[in-house]
Amino acid sequence: MKRFSEKYVIAKDMEWEELGGGVSRKFLGYDNQIMMVSVKFDKGALGAPHQHFHTQATYCVSGKFEFEIDGVKQIVEAGDGVYIEPNLWHSAVCLEEGQLIDTFSPVREDFLTGEGPSYFGDKEE
């Protein structure tokens, strides 16, 4: 069986990062062009309104969410996909505990460095 070099990490080996406010995330893979992140939400957790220059595509793995994108609200459930153009204001409220897969282009450097605003509340120390 061929093994990946130390440079490559398998997502199942990654740790969940607690972001606070009932939200945690795990990086699934990234380079300088693209990033895929799994995000778990407790019921009632909020992805506060924000915008960024990245293109975003989100897949709902489980649960139920109310997304608001550019002032338009939509219910998103397991199996649904969402596209968010760069610089549009958007947010999400978790109506039923669930998990999203967020994909960004280019990579979210702020996620890697921990700089920039948090959309989910304060990180638990």
Side-chain angles (χ1 to χ4, degrees), residues 47-108:
H50 63 282
Q51 69 183 64
H52 44 74
F53 69 87
H54 309 84
T55 297
Q56 178 176 343
T58 297
Y59 175 75
C60 183
V61 176
S62 63
K64 187 175 190 178
F65 297 81
E66 179 183 75
F67 272 73
E68 183 170 353
I69 303 170
D70 199 28
V72 178
K73 292 183 179 182
Q74 182 83 31
I75 300 298
V76 175
E77 300 179 277
D80 290 340
V82 177
Y83 170 74
I84 303 169
E85 292 180 36
N87 301 310
L88 289 185
W89 281 96
H90 57 284
S91 62
V93 176
C94 183
L95 304 175
E96 295 175 7
E97 181 179 317
Q99 185 173 355
L100 302 174
I101 303 294
D102 287 334
T103 305
F104 301 97
S105 180
V107 66
R108 292 292 305 260

Side-chain angles (χ1 to χ4, degrees), residues 3-33:
R3 291 184 37 84
F4 293 112
S5 73
E6 294 297 319
K7 178 180 172 184
Y8 302 100
V9 178
I10 303 298
K12 70 179 179 178
D13 297 331
M14 297 288 291
E15 297 290 327
W16 286 95
E17 175 185 9
E18 295 294 329
L19 300 177
V23 180
S24 58
R25 74 176 168 212
K26 179 194 300 196
F27 298 114
L28 300 179
Y30 62 90
D31 65 12
N32 63 343
Q33 296 298 313

